[in-house]
Amino acid sequence: MATRRTVIKAVDAGTLASGLSTPASGASRASKADVLVVVEKSSHAVSFYDAVSGQRQETVRLPDYPHEMVVDSRRRFAYVGHYGVRMASTVGDGGAAVFVIDLAERSLARTIDTRPFNRIHGMGIDRQDRLYALSEEKAVLLGFDAPSTDQAPTRAVPTHGVKTHLFTLSRDGERAYVTGLLSHTVSLVRPHDAAVPPVLVTPGQLPESSCLSRDEKTLFVGARKSSSLVSVDARTMKIRRSRRTGGDPLRVYTIDDERLLVTDIVANTLTVWGTDLRRIRSLQLDGTPSAVTLHPTRPLAYVSLLGTHRIAVVDLDRFAVVDGFDTQLEPDSAVLLPAAS
């Protein structure tokens, strides 16, 4: 495969009021290429990469172990959860904050304190740019109606799961599907009406990631310890079908009306499945695939590889690795900022 291994150093940093470093100048210049913004868990940072050359342009330093990230519809702010520990199995209180990243200035704009809700991991944003953040420790889904200015959560709903890690959000923000690693459940909760009791289903052991079909009628769940991909009725929460994957399905993504994309961290593969849970084809990778970022207009997937600390660029039409570049330690969730933005 073609690779670009050259990584430039971030520009010299200024100092934020918080004492964290951020680029001092030049950050607001418009890029002529797509930019991939990557959370680097063990480098405790968010970095901006030219998606064509693979060069690291700037790095925003953060407190230890940021994890999940989402971006608003205007590509103005990114919101990063402060998980505060390296892995779900790591013991500790973790972090209790949401970091607000200014994507134009490429700096940490401010921090939203979420205490007493800690180990903030799953993140989501709806089409009205309302933000949602999941406390793994407290099993509570937090809401921020105006996250660009909110100083604290504006709402919270219990999920009735245990060790709640990730969630999938409907586009209107009225439904959230929350996975519980220790309860082995997926909870359908109503983020804007805590009076509605959650509806739970057990799709298998250790469900972590999920995604909704394009019509939002079906939820697809990866049950890691059961090595299964499961489809669930998104309204009734009844299991429709389950298919053994033979590995460890860490993350599940919707590609289009007929296809899903699944990362396997045991086999180190990326697999396309039909929405009918039919295996279509698999791609062997040279690292452990964590998160995937889909290009909004092109058939490209940017796959974060743990261990090798790289981004693999996959052409989804050819289903082949066509490029890649090095990152800092443990790249995880990422967002693609198209050149036009």
Side-chain angles (χ1 to χ4, degrees):
M1 75 175 179
T3 60
R4 293 188 174 95
R5 298 184 175 271
T6 302
V7 180
I8 63 171
K9 298 177 68 175
V11 298
D12 292 338
T15 302
L16 292 174
S18 63
L20 300 174
S21 61
T22 188
S25 62
S28 60
R29 291 195 300 269
S31 172
K32 294 182 180 179
D34 292 343
V35 172
L36 192 69
V37 186
V38 184
V39 173
E40 296 159 322
K41 294 192 300 187
S42 288
S43 285
H44 319 300
V46 169
S47 290
F48 293 73
Y49 290 87
D50 185 307
V52 175
S53 71
Q55 292 185 334
R56 180 161 57 98
Q57 298 172 336
E58 281 91 22
T59 289
V60 179
R61 302 293 174 189
L62 297 173
D64 287 358
Y65 300 113
H67 275 227
E68 299 301 301
M69 173 173 59
V70 291
V71 170
D72 66 23
S73 61
R74 296 180 301 147
R75 305 292 198 270
R76 184 67 180 87
F77 294 105
Y79 301 95
V80 181
H82 188 200
Y83 193 49
V85 293
R86 180 171 174 264
M87 300 174 65
S89 59
T90 305
V91 176
D93 291 336
V98 171
F99 304 124
V100 183
I101 307 295
D102 186 315
L103 295 174
E105 296 299 325
R106 299 186 179 182
S107 66
L108 176 61
R110 61 195 186 85
T111 297
I112 305 174
D113 191 335
T114 63
R115 289 176 295 180
F117 304 104
N118 59 321
R119 288 176 76 113
I120 302 298
H121 192 260
M123 302 288 290
I125 199 162
D126 66 22
R127 64 190 176 196
Q128 298 181 51
D129 284 336
R130 296 176 297 189
L131 179 70
Y132 307 82
L134 183 61
S135 168
E136 181 186 88
E137 177 67 21
K138 298 296 190 293
V140 169
L141 183 64
L142 306 175
F144 305 82
D145 290 346
S148 63
T149 57
D150 283 340
Q151 299 298 317
T154 51
R155 61 186 68 250
V157 295
T159 67
H160 291 212
V162 180
K163 202 172 181 63
T164 51
H165 200 62
L166 290 171
F167 65 94
T168 294
L169 189 69
S170 62
R171 287 186 288 270
D172 62 8
E174 296 300 322
R175 291 175 285 143
Y177 301 85
V178 182
T179 57
L181 297 180
L182 200 54
S183 54
H184 308 292
T185 55
V186 179
S187 308
L188 166 57
V189 302
R190 303 287 179 171
H192 296 273
D193 192 350
V196 178
V199 181
L200 277 69
V201 66
T202 303
Q205 297 295 297
L206 200 68
E208 181 164 338
S209 175
S210 65
C211 64
L212 280 166
S213 59
R214 288 287 181 88
D215 62 10
E216 299 193 339
K217 294 181 179 180
T218 305
L219 183 75
F220 299 98
V221 183
R224 296 181 57 191
K225 281 191 176 179
S226 298
S227 300
S228 297
L229 185 60
V230 183
S231 65
V232 177
D233 187 297
R235 296 288 182 175
T236 67
M237 297 301 284
K238 302 296 184 183
I239 293 175
R240 289 176 172 168
R241 59 172 62 93
S242 179
R243 183 64 56 88
R244 295 275 294 181
T245 65
D248 186 336
L250 180 68
R251 297 286 182 109
V252 185
Y253 301 89
T254 302
I255 299 177
D256 52 35
D257 291 335
E258 299 179 347
R259 297 178 299 163
L260 307 171
L261 196 63
V262 178
T263 63
D264 188 310
I265 63 171
V266 168
N268 287 353
T269 57
L270 190 66
T271 300
V272 176
W273 291 81
T275 53
D276 58 357
L277 304 193
R278 173 179 52 90
R279 186 192 297 267
I280 298 175
R281 53 184 175 175
S282 291
L283 174 65
Q284 189 72 43
L285 300 169
D286 62 359
T288 302
S290 177
V292 174
T293 302
L294 299 173
H295 196 288
T297 59
R298 300 173 61 194
L300 293 176
Y302 299 85
V303 185
S304 299
L305 300 178
L306 302 175
T308 55
H309 315 303
R310 288 180 56 77
I311 299 293
V313 184
V314 176
D315 184 314
L316 293 176
D317 287 342
R318 296 162 54 189
F319 209 55
V321 177
V322 294
D323 213 335
F325 53 86
D326 293 334
T327 65
Q328 298 188 107
L329 299 180
E330 292 195 307
D332 198 7
S333 60
V335 294
L336 195 285
L337 305 181
S341 67

